Amino acid sequence: MSGTSGLLAAPRPAEPQRPGRAAPSAFLLPLHAFRLLGTRGVGVAGWFSAGQAATSALLYLGVEAPAGEPGRVVTITVLTLVVVAHLVATAGMLHALRGGLAEFRARRIGAGPDERLLVAVDRAAPAFALLYLTWGLTGDDARELARLAALHGVAGGDAADWPAGLDVRVTLGVAVIGLLVRTACGWWYGRRQGRVAGSLAALGEVCFAFFGLLAVAAALGSAWLERRAVVAWAGDLVTRYEGVLSGPFRTWAGELLPYATQAVLLPLMWLVVGALVLGAGSRRRGGSTADPDGGLTRGPRGRCLPVLRALRLVVRGGAPLFGMFCLCFVALRAGVGYAERGARQLIGPQEGPLHLVYDRPLALLGELLLTALTVCLLAAALDLAATRARAFARPGDDEPVTART
């Protein structure tokens, strides 16, 4: 009986896992990013190439825009579609990496229906539009259009004052139209689940977010707002206490602020966009990995909650992981920039007909390398953040999930 007593005895309860016991190290982030690049880099390169092809086709279409008011309408439409192409390409690159994420593989078994890429694009549109406008990427598109127009010796529409020269009534009107299209096509998508309805709803969301932010920026800089009493009171208050922060501290803070925004704020915004695309940080509901509040039929609540959950996931991932991500983010830009400069020095003089042959392919190759590494780093950081948040979670906390996109 001594040999069977152990089999008949009731099993002992498993030892509870201590929070943080299985948390991966934040220093594994570069290795995880390179592993993603090696295993899923072909899909990332494919989406990047598709985005570049769509952007080039749209810009060449803008070059052929007629003069006058019709050309201005064509230019605005083309540059707006360029923003949509960049958003879809970014979401597609992250979509191609989802199979290499440990949290995604852990949630796949027994999960509910897949979340379509259009839903992820729709969910990430407001944050991506804010990032696009804040860092002046719209100006880069306008300058590229002007460069192509000058190269072909044509007018190329009116892109010189894009987007600051747009009237607030135009931006507000386009934002309202985008919201109406988004609402109608979102309702249509909820009933039929069609790709056409989903594409139109995502396009309406992008237009609503992009031109809505432009309308808000135009309203903040208008003369009407400057004449308000509360704005005058705030200006007097700032002027009164401006002397308190004068001196060496203000000079030091002014010199440090541009570097802090590039090294901390920009990586944080990209983390939020990536988390919105992947659905990272969403709560489980009915076994599904899709974000319950992030679909095409969501309302105002569904626009705010995914952003808050993405920020919560970044916080729960820990300061070491975020610091490591910021360090790698800045190092990638510096390293690729120096590599491209070194390649140009090896090739030879930056003038003559040979320069026109290799200049654009070399710039495109550097952009491909930087974009692929950045997207892999972004996905790896979110994957580690979700794993660390689950390891540090206490009983009763919401379990972070990387949605199937």
Side-chain angles (χ1 to χ4, degrees), residues 268-348:
L268 177 61
M269 294 184 70
W270 273 116
L271 275 176
V272 172
V273 171
L276 290 173
V277 171
L278 292 175
S282 59
R283 297 177 301 177
R284 306 190 71 172
R285 184 174 297 179
S288 174
T289 55
D291 190 353
D293 298 309
L296 288 174
T297 57
R298 74 188 192 274
R301 176 178 178 270
R303 287 186 175 91
C304 299
L305 285 183
V307 177
L308 296 178
R309 289 171 185 161
L311 290 172
R312 184 188 64 175
L313 177 65
V314 174
V315 172
R316 293 176 66 178
L321 180 60
F322 180 68
M324 191 66 182
F325 175 76
C326 294
L327 178 62
C328 294
F329 188 89
V330 175
L332 277 180
R333 272 149 178 74
V336 173
Y338 279 114
E340 184 178 350
R341 186 184 305 176
R344 293 181 183 277
Q345 292 294 330
L346 288 175
I347 292 175

Side-chain angles (χ1 to χ4, degrees), residues 118 181 184-186 188-190 192-202 296:
L118 290 174
V181 172
C185 294
W188 181 17
Y189 179 84
R192 301 293 181 88
Q193 298 290 316
R195 292 186 178 181
V196 176
S199 301
L200 291 176
L296 288 174

Side-chain angles (χ1 to χ4, degrees), residues 124-215:
F128 187 83
L130 179 62
L131 173 64
Y132 213 86
L133 289 172
T134 304
W135 257 260
L137 301 180
T138 52
D140 295 341
D141 296 335
R143 284 187 290 271
E144 181 66 17
L145 180 59
R147 186 189 69 84
L148 290 176
L151 187 64
H152 289 76
V154 296
D158 186 11
D161 56 350
W162 167 263
L166 295 179
D167 189 81
V168 64
R169 293 170 294 183
V170 175
T171 56
L172 187 60
V174 176
V176 171
I177 293 174
L179 179 61
L180 294 177
V181 172
R182 162 70 179 78
T183 303
C185 294
W187 174 82
W188 181 17
Y189 179 84
R191 293 175 61 89
R192 301 293 181 88
Q193 298 290 316
R195 292 186 178 181
V196 176
S199 301
L200 291 176
L203 178 60
E205 181 70 17
V206 174
C207 292
F208 168 68
F210 185 73
F211 285 95
L213 289 172
L214 285 178

Side-chain angles (χ1 to χ4, degrees), residues 13-384:
E15 180 182 358
Q17 183 179 5
R18 296 192 304 269
R21 182 178 180 180
S25 173
F27 297 101
L28 296 176
L29 177 61
L31 297 178
H32 193 13
F34 280 112
R35 185 185 65 83
L36 288 175
L37 182 64
T39 56
R40 306 281 171 171
V42 176
V44 174
W47 275 104
F48 174 83
S49 302
Q52 288 295 317
T55 301
S56 300
L58 289 169
L59 290 177
Y60 274 106
L61 179 62
V63 167
E64 301 300 329
E69 194 63 28
R72 183 178 177 83
V73 173
V74 172
T75 301
I76 293 175
T77 304
V78 164
L79 292 177
T80 303
L81 292 177
V82 167
V83 179
V84 177
H86 286 156
L87 173 58
V88 173
T90 302
M93 286 186 285
L94 289 170
H95 177 83
L97 294 173
R98 72 197 192 282
L101 304 180
E103 281 295 304
F104 174 82
R105 293 196 303 267
R107 306 303 179 204
R108 271 186 99 167
I109 302 177
D114 289 356
E115 182 181 71
R116 294 186 178 182
L117 179 62
L118 290 174
V119 179
V121 170
D122 177 84
R123 184 173 55 235
F128 187 83
L130 179 62
L131 173 64
Y132 213 86
L133 289 172
T134 304
W135 257 260
L137 301 180
T138 52
D140 295 341
D141 296 335
R143 284 187 290 271
E144 181 66 17
L145 180 59
R147 186 189 69 84
L148 290 176
L151 187 64
H152 289 76
V154 296
D158 186 11
D161 56 350
W162 167 263
L166 295 179
D167 189 81
V168 64
R169 293 170 294 183
V170 175
T171 56
L172 187 60
V174 176
V176 171
I177 293 174
L179 179 61
L180 294 177
V181 172
R182 162 70 179 78
T183 303
C185 294
W187 174 82
W188 181 17
Y189 179 84
R191 293 175 61 89
R192 301 293 181 88
Q193 298 290 316
R195 292 186 178 181
V196 176
S199 301
L200 291 176
L203 178 60
E205 181 70 17
V206 174
C207 292
F208 168 68
F210 185 73
F211 285 95
L213 289 172
L214 285 178
V216 171
L220 292 177
S222 63
W224 176 86
L225 188 64
E226 294 177 357
R227 293 194 298 267
R228 301 303 96 186
V230 63
V231 176
W233 173 80
D236 294 340
L237 187 65
V238 171
T239 305
R240 183 182 307 172
Y241 291 99
E242 190 176 7
V244 178
L245 299 177
S246 60
F249 174 78
R250 185 176 180 180
T251 304
W252 174 79
E255 294 176 353
L256 184 64
L257 185 60
Y259 299 102
T261 54
Q262 292 289 336
V264 178
L265 185 57
L266 181 59
L268 177 61
M269 294 184 70
W270 273 116
L271 275 176
V272 172
V273 171
L276 290 173
V277 171
L278 292 175
S282 59
R283 297 177 301 177
R284 306 190 71 172
R285 184 174 297 179
S288 174
T289 55
D291 190 353
D293 298 309
L296 288 174
T297 57
R298 74 188 192 274
R301 176 178 178 270
R303 287 186 175 91
C304 299
L305 285 183
V307 177
L308 296 178
R309 289 171 185 161
L311 290 172
R312 184 188 64 175
L313 177 65
V314 174
V315 172
R316 293 176 66 178
L321 180 60
F322 180 68
M324 191 66 182
F325 175 76
C326 294
L327 178 62
C328 294
F329 188 89
V330 175
L332 277 180
R333 272 149 178 74
V336 173
Y338 279 114
E340 184 178 350
R341 186 184 305 176
R344 293 181 183 277
Q345 292 294 330
L346 288 175
I347 292 175
Q350 308 294 313
E351 57 186 14
L354 184 61
H355 170 68
L356 298 177
V357 174
Y358 72 80
D359 180 70
R360 183 56 185 169
L362 184 61
L364 190 62
L365 181 61
E367 190 175 353
L368 169 61
L369 181 62
L370 178 60
T371 304
L373 287 172
T374 302
V375 170
C376 291
L377 181 69
L378 183 62
L382 291 172
D383 190 29
L384 290 178

